[in-house]
Amino acid sequence: MNKRVTLRTIADDLGITVATASLALRRHPRISPETTQRVEQAAARLGYIYNRAAANLRQTRSNLVAVCVSDLSNPVFNEFLVYIEDELREHQMQVFLGIAREDLAVQRHFLQTALEQGVGGIVLLPVRGTTRADLSALLPEGQIDPVVPTVVVSRALMDVALPQFVNDDQLAGRLAAQCLIDHGHKHIVWVGGGQQTSTAQNRLLGVQQALSAAGLPQAEILHGPTSRQFGHQSARALLTRDNPPSGVVCFSDLIAFGMITGCQELGKLPGRDISIIGCDDMEEAHLTFPPLTTIAVDKAEIGRRASRRLLAPLTGQDIVVLPPKLVLRETVGPPAPDR
């Protein structure tokens, strides 16, 4: 068995002290660039592996941040993750990623594992139905502050005293419904998004608020999973009715993508035969045919601000709510003449 390469191995190879080798590998300003380069080259040549865990213990902090994402089958969460990781990497932090698959038990296990690994902080995009009790590893009973700095992203947890960075989802719902109202739609249906998250609850509330303010009947509700398949099924169910709606607000772009496909299979063109509006403004939204009208969530700002808050932890709870905006493309138009 090969003997493990240590700092002593590097030091002996170069005829320097162990302390010099250690400082050089950390690029300490006391060590000259020439010596640092020699040490790094020797480390690579000898196969030295930096013991990050030991270094973290010496520094009494960790550069490892656990990011727990509720589900990666929804591309919008990938987009959040990219901005979070970008910001952390700019500050020399490394991501320890967990995918909870919308499962509370998986989320609990990952958080416990992350803490056992000695992470320096946690970014949590919580699974559906998360409560304070589900975060007992982070927030032991009777304790106000988390055991490590923690921030919540995208889905608000109203009974949890943690910093949170979320979209103004009520405003998103109002903007979506108002867009259809302004184009003359009166028969509007809400499609998708169960009611176990603040995101779904608030977007639907915003839709109903806009309809009520316009003196229109409340939207019919088709709850279902956030998936293309559900959007596809909903399009076929709605458009084969005797009295189909003229406009649809989808909980997310992902559902809207499925609806567009379902409409086209029935020979209907979104924006002409039925209007469809999504929410999130995923990267794919402008590439659909026709391009999807949607409500843009500022995923970059949410992800980056949450990461910066984690890196400069303060005590107590603050909820930062960022405004969305309407992105008008081609899937919304006036009602068809027969509507």
Side-chain angles (χ1 to χ4, degrees), residues 169-170 173 190 192-193 195 199-209 218-221 223 251:
D169 288 306
Q170 278 193 46
W190 161 272
Q195 291 297 286
T199 312
Q201 293 166 0
N202 289 328
R203 288 180 186 177
L204 176 56
L205 178 59
V207 168
Q208 303 292 35
Q209 288 173 340
Q218 296 289 274
E220 178 187 349
I221 298 170
H223 284 318
F251 164 68

Side-chain angles (χ1 to χ4, degrees), residues 146-182:
V147 295
V148 297
T150 302
V151 295
V152 174
V153 173
S154 182
R155 294 173 173 173
L157 301 176
M158 300 314 296
D159 65 338
V160 177
L162 292 172
Q164 305 185 38
F165 294 79
V166 299
N167 178 58
D168 188 339
D169 288 306
Q170 278 193 46
L171 177 57
R174 289 198 300 272
L175 289 173
Q178 193 62 52
C179 176
L180 294 177
I181 293 167
D182 290 345

Side-chain angles (χ1 to χ4, degrees), residues 295-319:
I295 306 301
V297 173
D298 196 345
K299 299 177 287 292
E301 190 67 9
I302 290 173
R304 290 188 179 280
R305 288 182 65 171
S307 299
R308 289 196 293 268
R309 176 69 164 81
L310 187 75
L311 297 170
L314 304 170
T315 58
Q317 178 189 37
D318 53 287
I319 299 180

Side-chain angles (χ1 to χ4, degrees), residues 33-254:
E34 294 79 11
T35 299
T36 296
Q37 184 178 28
R38 288 179 60 219
V39 171
E40 289 177 341
Q41 289 173 345
R45 171 169 49 82
L46 295 170
Y48 175 72
I49 299 175
Y50 185 52
N51 190 333
R52 177 71 65 182
N56 289 339
L57 287 174
R58 290 193 297 271
Q59 298 173 20
T60 68
R61 65 181 178 86
S62 173
N63 77 329
L64 192 63
V65 173
V67 179
C68 187
V69 180
S70 57
D71 184 15
L72 282 187
S73 66
N74 187 340
V76 72
F77 298 143
N78 292 316
E79 295 180 26
F80 275 117
L81 178 60
V82 166
Y83 295 118
I84 291 167
E85 196 274 338
D86 279 350
E87 185 68 24
L88 292 173
R89 181 157 41 83
E90 286 181 11
H91 292 84
Q92 289 74 55
M93 308 300 284
Q94 297 298 315
V95 167
F96 173 38
L97 180 62
I99 312 301
R101 299 179 182 273
E102 296 291 8
D103 187 313
L104 288 169
V106 174
Q107 178 177 268
R108 283 193 296 269
H109 178 72
F110 174 76
L111 293 176
Q112 183 64 46
T113 300
L115 292 173
E116 291 171 358
Q117 293 298 315
V119 298
I122 293 174
V123 179
L124 177 63
L125 200 163
V127 306
R128 292 189 298 261
T130 298
T131 66
R132 193 187 194 285
D134 299 303
L135 305 179
S136 57
L138 279 176
L139 285 166
E141 187 174 354
Q143 187 166 316
I144 297 175
D145 295 323
V147 295
V148 297
T150 302
V151 295
V152 174
V153 173
S154 182
R155 294 173 173 173
L157 301 176
M158 300 314 296
D159 65 338
V160 177
L162 292 172
Q164 305 185 38
F165 294 79
V166 299
N167 178 58
D168 188 339
D169 288 306
Q170 278 193 46
L171 177 57
R174 289 198 300 272
L175 289 173
Q178 193 62 52
C179 176
L180 294 177
I181 293 167
D182 290 345
H183 280 81
H185 295 273
K186 298 181 179 179
H187 184 185
I188 295 170
V189 172
W190 161 272
V191 175
Q195 291 297 286
Q196 291 181 293
T197 66
S198 65
T199 312
Q201 293 166 0
N202 289 328
R203 288 180 186 177
L204 176 56
L205 178 59
V207 168
Q208 303 292 35
Q209 288 173 340
L211 293 173
S212 179
L216 296 174
Q218 296 289 274
E220 178 187 349
I221 298 170
L222 296 184
H223 284 318
T226 305
S227 68
R228 294 174 190 265
Q229 182 64 29
F230 179 68
H232 182 268
Q233 293 169 349
S234 298
R236 299 186 71 87
L238 291 172
L239 289 174
T240 54
R241 291 179 177 180
D242 291 336
N243 182 31
S246 66
V248 175
V249 178
C250 294
F251 164 68
S252 76
D253 289 349
L254 197 63

